[in-house]
Amino acid sequence: MTSSVLDLAPVMPVVVVEDAADAVPLARALVAGGLPAIEVTLRTAAALDAIRAIASEVPDAVVGAGTVISARNVSDTVAAGARFLVSPGWTDAVLDAMKASGVPFLPGVSTTSEVVALLERGVTDMKFFPAEAAGGTAYLKALSAPLPQARFCPTGGISLASAPAYLALPNVGCVGGSWMVPGDAVAARDWARVERLAAEAASLRG
């Protein structure tokens, strides 16, 4: 795997899996569309089974766990096969667990102080969340001059239309979003539509 999860693709799908049976075809559609790094959020009872299934059955996918907010989340998801970890925010305990996990991780930040605190701990790759609500591209652009070593995956409220403005920033490695996995397409198991939307997202940074 590349040295940073931020460099795998321009867009990281943020996926909520309600039915573990959907995990493999969904992941295959995203990979076929050119989005191999898939964040499965721990928002449903099916999440761990979904991570396990993708890790074992979709070798071209780089499956990660999102909504990681405890050391238990870290150990459970890595055991299930998660190859990276994403948190909406961080505490010392969560950060220590993510660092000890042996897999790449993106701790969430929304303030300058949080960014500086992570840089102090040797962490340069971060999730900026909730991106639109926390100041969007203007905020990230303002951070790039004083803190150029910090790189971000902004997530939260980003769409196909707004993603290019984020990707144009020097301190943004990729963006996170769920527009390529719309609920109605997943409910209908319309994997061809998911693949088309993924391909459209993957082409944002040519």
Side-chain angles (χ1 to χ4, degrees):
M1 196 166 89
T2 179
S3 58
S4 172
V5 70
L6 296 178
D7 300 321
L8 288 170
V11 178
M12 182 186 296
V14 179
V15 177
V16 179
V17 180
E18 300 287 352
D19 183 346
D22 293 335
V24 167
L26 177 60
R28 285 180 177 149
L30 291 170
V31 170
L35 301 180
I38 302 167
E39 176 189 335
V40 177
T41 65
L42 299 182
R43 299 181 197 173
T44 68
L48 282 176
D49 285 338
I51 291 169
R52 199 172 288 114
I54 295 169
S56 63
E57 297 181 47
V58 192
D60 292 333
V62 181
V63 64
T67 327
V68 173
I69 56 171
S70 69
R72 176 68 182 271
N73 287 162
V74 172
S75 57
D76 285 350
T77 55
V78 172
R83 293 171 60 188
F84 65 92
L85 305 167
V86 184
S87 70
W90 64 277
T91 63
D92 286 335
V94 172
L95 186 65
D96 288 345
M98 290 196 294
K99 276 189 155 189
S101 71
V103 301
F105 56 91
L106 298 173
V109 297
S110 61
T111 69
T112 309
S113 293
E114 290 168 331
V115 175
V116 172
L118 284 177
L119 291 174
E120 194 176 74
R121 300 281 294 268
V123 177
T124 56
D125 291 355
M126 310 172 194
K127 171 179 177 169
F128 179 59
F129 177 82
E132 287 287 284
T137 54
Y139 194 97
L140 286 171
K141 189 173 184 180
L143 287 182
S144 64
L147 303 169
Q149 62 274 56
R151 296 179 72 222
F152 301 95
C153 174
T155 305
I158 297 175
S159 65
L160 180 67
S162 61
Y166 282 95
L167 292 168
L169 297 174
N171 56 349
V172 170
C174 65
V175 299
S178 55
W179 74 84
M180 74 298 300
V181 284
D184 58 342
V186 175
R189 295 179 166 83
D190 188 351
W191 310 127
R193 182 179 168 206
V194 171
E195 182 178 339
R196 286 195 304 273
L197 293 170
E200 193 176 32
S203 70
L204 286 176
R205 181 182 280 160

